[in-house]
Amino acid sequence: MKPVRIALLGCGTVGGGVVKLLLRNPDKYERILGAPLQLAVVADRSLKPDDVPGLPAKLITRDAIAAVTRPDIDIVVELFGGHEPARALIMKALAAGKDVVTGNKALLAEHGGEIFREAGKHGLAVGFEASVGGGVPIIRTLREALAGDRQRAVYGIVNGTCNSILTTMTENGVEFGTALADAQAKGLAEANPATDVEGHDSAHKLCLLVTLAFGVLVKPAQIYTEGITRITQADIEYARELGCVIKLLAIGKDDDGAVEARVHPTMIPERHLLAGVGGAYNAIYIHGDALGATMYSGLGAGEMPSATAVMADVLEIARHRMAEGSARTHAFGFPIHLMKGASVKPMDDVVCEYYLRFAARDKPGVLGAIASVLGKHGLSIASVIQKDRGKASTVPVIMRTHGAPERSLKRALAEMRKKKIVQSAPAFIRIEEKL
């Protein structure tokens, strides 16, 4: 049988893993396909032959455009990352009749509609399993295994860097800066970790999860995004007293067409399955009407987990190429030309329970004044923790509220600051009790 030939764009961490798998498993892949799977060219501006053991120097090129338009190439694997030149190269590959595999969540979150429409116009496939959850097969699960059900909610721990930092803070009793430095020393965080710790990476991934789960298109600008940089050890400890742990969650909910899409630190019950997902692991917890709750977990990044996801897409697409006339799967499980933009609920309208941390004067009447303002704006108190009374002029006051719209909370906190009921800007963290 004629071999299926691959052009690889980018041979960094994940690209190197793809090369290793292709060199390690040629017999297995040929048995799966009934034909050889061949790496024909690797386009990378800085790659040297010795960087990936076993990679022939003759396969390396600096000319990515020539690589994606070669007539003997069947599948283009884009692992450059970023928006450009990745977008332009993918569009050129599709125009030249090549199927595409990518792990580029930032690109797909912003330009996925354009890319998938172009693929549909040419009857081509775009695989993107590696874009969310690393080696966790969540894209294929939502698109295929759960297609018969209606999904109501998706909760994702989808950034291993943040999860590792929060795990270190929880287990070792250290502050954010120390936990971040530890993650950087272990290679779990970049030298500039802003995209991860400020929540943007999770927001990109949530765009794809919302589209797969609910069948609507959403852009990063529509997603409320808040990172973990303001989480303190005090918050970790008080969460424990409330029977909770703090996780950075990517949350998508479908309330009969009104979609919630948000990324922020969230307190969840310590008994919940997501609470036990530690370190660099990812997990996606899904609620369906018929199936109920299911969870999918595994290593969310790294060379081999992500390379495994890339190869799963390559093999699936290669199977379609081998079976002449077979229909290609819709990338999101829905015909792209029928999909509409999401109507995303404003954050002010989102109803949550809240953890509140105040710095208050240690004198009579302050607690009552706080409760009065909260009640005035429709927030009722579920529990109160007050410590260190009599030890300092300012003491921490911790409150947990019942559910209320975020608009009401913001108005209450603004009034407290204006009236100087509390000493500094109050901190709050949203609580998801019933995931």
Side-chain angles (χ1 to χ4, degrees):
M1 295 286 288
K2 179 183 175 183
V4 177
R5 292 170 63 82
I6 298 167
L8 175 62
L9 309 183
C11 198
T13 300
V14 180
V18 169
V19 173
K20 289 176 184 177
L21 288 176
L22 285 165
L23 294 175
R24 183 187 300 171
N25 300 318
D27 294 341
K28 177 183 178 179
Y29 297 152
E30 186 168 352
R31 289 199 307 273
I32 289 173
L33 297 177
L37 188 62
Q38 292 183 354
L39 181 62
V41 60
V42 179
D44 192 292
R45 288 182 291 250
S46 59
L47 182 67
K48 299 175 183 177
D50 293 341
D51 291 345
V52 182
L55 176 64
K58 65 181 180 180
L59 298 187
I60 301 172
T61 180
R62 304 288 185 258
D63 192 344
I65 294 177
V68 303
T69 55
R70 274 175 47 171
D72 63 329
I73 295 298
D74 300 301
I75 301 172
V76 171
V77 177
E78 182 278 308
L79 297 173
F80 279 155
H83 289 247
E84 296 294 351
R87 186 200 64 83
L89 288 167
I90 286 174
M91 296 299 281
K92 284 184 181 296
L94 294 170
K98 320 299 183 185
D99 293 303
V100 171
V101 174
T102 180
N104 196 334
K105 63 268 182 181
L107 177 65
L108 293 179
E110 196 65 55
H111 300 287
E114 173 191 10
I115 289 169
F116 292 117
R117 286 188 185 94
E118 183 70 11
K121 184 170 72 175
H122 296 286
L124 296 166
V126 178
F128 57 107
E129 187 65 68
S131 62
V132 181
V136 182
I138 192 61
I139 304 298
R140 196 168 276 103
T141 298
L142 279 167
R143 186 180 62 211
E144 298 171 13
L146 302 181
D149 198 1
R150 178 171 181 172
Q151 310 313 320
R152 288 296 187 180
V154 177
Y155 302 89
I157 297 172
V158 291
N159 185 275
T161 298
C162 289
N163 202 47
S164 177
I165 290 170
L166 290 172
T167 299
T168 299
M169 292 177 70
T170 301
E171 294 180 351
N172 298 347
V174 298
E175 294 291 352
F176 170 80
T178 301
L180 170 60
D182 181 68
Q184 289 171 322
K186 293 176 179 176
L188 297 173
E190 302 287 346
N192 180 0
T195 299
D196 293 318
V197 300
E198 292 175 4
H200 301 300
D201 176 75
S202 295
H204 294 150
K205 294 169 180 176
L206 182 60
C207 287
L208 303 178
L209 290 173
V210 165
T211 300
L212 285 156
F214 310 139
V216 292
L217 296 170
V218 61
K219 292 289 188 73
Q222 295 176 276
I223 294 179
Y224 174 83
T225 305
E226 179 185 328
I228 64 171
T229 56
R230 289 180 288 182
I231 300 298
T232 68
Q233 186 55 221
D235 296 323
I236 299 285
E237 289 299 324
Y238 287 126
R240 185 179 287 118
E241 290 197 37
L242 293 170
C244 295
V245 298
I246 299 174
K247 295 291 186 182
L248 183 70
L249 287 191
I251 300 172
K253 298 182 182 181
D254 181 10
D255 185 12
D256 294 322
V259 173
E260 290 184 22
R262 46 194 170 98
V263 171
H264 51 71
T266 310
M267 286 192 182
I268 61 175
E270 59 186 5
R271 65 183 180 276
H272 194 276
L273 286 173
L274 283 172
V277 178
Y281 277 77
N282 281 196
I284 299 92
Y285 189 81
I286 300 171
H287 267 288
D289 271 349
L291 182 59
T294 54
M295 192 172 88
Y296 311 85
S297 180
L299 285 172
E303 180 185 38
M304 300 318 288
S306 297
T308 300
V310 168
M311 288 307 303
D313 280 336
V314 168
L315 290 165
E316 179 184 14
I317 291 171
R319 285 193 189 103
H320 285 303
R321 280 193 165 265
M322 301 296 293
E324 293 184 13
S326 65
R328 294 227 161 83
T329 303
H330 295 300
F332 285 123
F334 303 85
I336 188 69
H337 66 280
L338 298 179
M339 296 178 71
K340 298 179 179 179
S343 174
V344 178
K345 186 182 294 186
M347 200 63 195
D348 278 352
D349 294 340
V350 170
V351 175
C352 285
E353 298 177 26
Y354 301 97
Y355 153 94
L356 307 175
R357 175 166 53 82
F358 304 101
R361 291 185 183 275
D362 187 12
K363 65 179 185 178
V366 172
L367 189 59
I370 293 172
S372 177
V373 173
L374 290 174
K376 174 183 172 182
H377 291 278
L379 288 105
S380 60
I381 299 170
S383 61
V384 178
I385 300 173
Q386 191 173 9
K387 291 192 171 184
D388 301 325
R389 293 206 61 188
K391 296 182 180 180
S393 59
T394 301
V395 296
V397 176
I398 310 303
M399 291 184 175
R400 175 175 177 166
T401 76
H402 293 292
E406 188 147 318
R407 178 185 293 105
S408 299
L409 175 68
K410 289 178 179 177
R411 288 173 177 170
L413 297 184
E415 181 174 337
M416 287 183 207
R417 291 194 297 271
K418 183 177 180 180
K419 293 183 176 180
K420 299 182 179 179
I421 295 173
V422 293
Q423 294 297 98
S424 57
F428 74 91
I429 299 174
R430 300 161 190 91
I431 300 172
E432 291 283 334
E433 177 70 29
K434 298 177 181 178
L435 287 82

